[in-house]
Amino acid sequence: MSNPRLQDIQTAVRLLTDLSRSTFQGRYADCEAIIAQHLKDGSAFLLELIKAAVEAGVHQVTLIEDAVSFLDDADLARLAFFLQSAASRGTDVEDLLSHALLQAPDLFPDAALATSYDFADWQQHTDLRSAPACKHFIFEGGSPSDSPFPTHRNHPTWHLPTTGGPLAVGGRGSAACPVCRQKLTHLVTLDSSEEKFVPGLSIETCANSLEPTYYSHDAEGRPTPIGPFHSDDGSAIKPASLVSTVRVAATPPRWLRQSYGISNSRQNLFRLGGLPSWVQGPQFPLVPGTDREMKFLLQFDSLAGFFWGSGGMLYVFWDEESRITCHVSQWT
């Protein structure tokens, strides 16, 4: 590693260590500026920065944890070995291990996966290393968040290569809620001709509902709210009029598992299919009047004009036989 890069690592570690500065935010911003200079230079700098932060005991900050996402596969494997060695020596690297476990479970033994909090919600899958395929919704212009941090705006999940035509996200829906009488908010209209594994549905939800709510869909995919209806308390979405343009992208293996706690506000959690990123743990609804569990269809984060509860996720489930969707929100 060249001396200037080594000096940048030493400066970043010193900033995280030096408590004499007026604010942590100021030191954090200076470190972000250093990292931003190296994001496109390969991942060797970031790997050495993470290792140096661990050795100095200043690694338990979001800035260092987010750097794991920008490592290439070879450096991620090196980090996995380093973290397991550090853990065996008694160093608390649990948060960094959680990031690496999710992105590369093949690099860790079964025992590590079985005891990982982030894998606990997915224990129902026979093979913890095998996750179902999914897609990401990619927004035009990248992340819809106004985060000033380069590692947030530039996270790989906001910039996956897309396929197919544009889709509108947000805006006013076509149906009205029978409880509050307001127009539903349009989430997204799925095109089954382009995405073979998803149904052609218009997904709309009530902005005033935080309760699990069911919608029936006609042959053209148009929704109608059905019982049980939501409560008339709270507000789930604001503003409902905001419209964004997205395209879908095949999700690489590295991002098939995304933990809400790790990913929140930094990674792209607008996902189609695959594994839900639970906020409060698994909550699969049943088809009304049956014991049949509904299939997870998609999830929307509290970004791009949506806001679930105090900040969380909306999960949409689908049953092909009854042509019913159920919307379940969870928040912190």
Side-chain angles (χ1 to χ4, degrees):
M1 179 178 294
S2 64
N3 286 335
R5 290 168 65 183
L6 179 59
Q7 291 172 1
D8 281 346
I9 288 175
Q10 293 171 340
T11 298
V13 171
R14 185 170 62 252
L15 287 168
L16 294 175
T17 306
D18 183 6
L19 301 181
S20 65
R21 291 285 298 274
S22 58
T23 64
F24 175 78
Q25 287 79 7
R27 291 182 283 123
Y28 196 98
D30 290 344
C31 291
E32 278 280 0
I34 292 173
I35 289 178
Q37 297 174 14
H38 295 274
L39 281 180
K40 296 182 179 179
D41 296 337
S43 63
F45 171 85
L46 295 176
L47 175 61
E48 293 306 315
L49 174 61
I50 296 169
K51 293 168 66 175
V54 171
E55 297 295 350
V58 294
H59 57 285
Q60 294 178 319
V61 294
T62 302
L63 178 149
I64 297 299
E65 295 165 7
D66 283 347
V68 177
S69 294
F70 295 87
L71 299 179
D72 62 27
D73 291 345
D75 281 335
L76 182 59
R78 296 183 182 98
L79 178 66
F81 177 81
F82 171 81
L83 292 176
Q84 290 176 83
S85 297
S88 68
R89 298 193 300 269
T91 305
D92 182 4
V93 290
E94 181 179 356
D95 290 342
L96 283 170
L97 275 170
S98 294
H99 282 262
L101 277 166
L102 289 169
Q103 295 176 38
D106 288 343
L107 300 177
F108 295 88
D110 290 346
L113 302 185
T115 58
S116 168
Y117 173 82
D118 294 303
F119 274 77
D121 292 341
W122 301 322
Q123 292 293 326
Q124 67 268 32
H125 297 276
T126 303
D127 183 358
L128 290 178
R129 292 183 173 80
S130 177
C134 74
K135 306 269 188 176
H136 271 78
F137 294 107
I138 305 300
F139 288 78
E140 283 192 350
S143 170
S145 167
D146 59 357
S147 170
F149 301 130
T151 50
H152 296 192
R153 297 193 311 270
N154 297 321
H155 194 274
T157 51
W158 293 114
H159 304 282
L160 300 173
T162 61
T163 59
L167 303 172
V169 162
R172 291 174 65 84
S174 59
C177 173
V179 177
C180 62
R181 306 298 179 184
Q182 294 185 16
K183 280 284 191 179
L184 300 180
T185 293
H186 175 256
L187 297 183
V188 65
T189 297
L190 302 176
D191 186 349
S192 60
S193 65
E194 291 193 14
E195 299 301 322
K196 302 299 183 183
F197 76 101
V198 301
L201 295 175
S202 179
I203 309 297
E204 301 178 7
T205 199
C206 179
N208 295 318
S209 175
L210 292 177
E211 301 291 331
T213 307
Y214 293 86
Y215 300 82
S216 64
H217 295 261
D218 64 18
E220 283 70 45
R222 292 185 295 262
T224 299
I226 60 174
F229 297 138
H230 67 78
S231 70
D232 56 0
D233 299 326
S235 178
I237 306 172
K238 56 180 184 182
S241 59
L242 181 64
V243 180
S244 303
T245 300
V246 303
R247 296 175 188 268
V248 296
T251 302
R254 187 162 176 175
W255 305 112
L256 290 177
R257 302 168 184 82
Q258 289 179 276
S259 159
Y260 176 82
I262 285 178
S263 311
N264 185 26
S265 299
R266 302 188 295 278
Q267 299 180 18
N268 179 5
L269 295 181
F270 289 84
R271 292 164 57 104
L272 177 62
L275 297 172
S277 302
W278 297 112
V279 179
Q280 301 291 352
Q283 188 180 352
F284 287 91
L286 300 178
V287 178
T290 78
D291 58 0
R292 188 166 69 249
E293 193 173 85
M294 302 186 78
K295 179 181 178 182
F296 173 67
L297 179 61
L298 59 85
Q299 65 184 31
F300 269 39
D301 201 354
S302 287
L303 291 171
F306 304 101
F307 197 76
W308 316 106
S310 55
M313 302 282 289
L314 181 76
Y315 311 93
V316 177
F317 301 86
W318 164 246
D319 179 68
E320 185 173 6
E321 182 178 338
S322 63
R323 296 193 61 80
I324 290 176
T325 57
C326 181
H327 300 188
V328 176
S329 56
Q330 295 184 351
W331 59 94
T332 53

